[in-house]
Amino acid sequence: ETQNITLSIRKDLLKAAKHIAIERNTSLSGLQKQYLENIIAEDSEYRRAMEHMMKEMQKGYNLGYE
């Protein structure tokens, strides 16, 4: 299911985005969708990595010092 959104941006950004969309053979909607999917995926990866690192830090490491 999709949801329509309204976006307000400066006219110069809109013009540049339209050119990028044309170069990538997509629409502005397609460009926005791709961007949002990418940042959501990056954020999810970061959160997973951070959770893993926190668990590892809580275990602690024996560095050979007593």
Side-chain angles (χ1 to χ4, degrees):
E1 183 178 349
T2 61
Q3 173 71 48
N4 289 336
I5 62 170
T6 301
L7 178 66
S8 296
I9 62 173
R10 294 188 336 245
K11 287 183 180 183
D12 61 323
L13 293 178
L14 178 59
K15 184 177 179 180
K18 284 180 179 180
H19 286 286
I20 293 169
I22 290 168
E23 289 172 359
R24 295 185 184 185
N25 197 31
T26 190
S27 63
L28 282 174
S29 291
L31 202 61
Q32 291 171 323
K33 180 178 174 266
Q34 181 182 29
Y35 177 74
L36 290 173
E37 287 172 346
N38 288 343
I39 62 171
I40 289 167
E42 288 173 9
D43 186 68
S44 294
E45 282 182 40
Y46 174 80
R47 289 176 188 273
R48 277 194 300 275
M50 192 61 123
E51 287 173 10
H52 175 74
M53 184 58 72
M54 293 302 289
K55 287 178 184 176
E56 291 295 314
M57 289 174 64
Q58 287 173 352
K59 284 186 206 175
Y61 292 97
N62 182 351
L63 301 176
Y65 299 108
E66 305 235 8

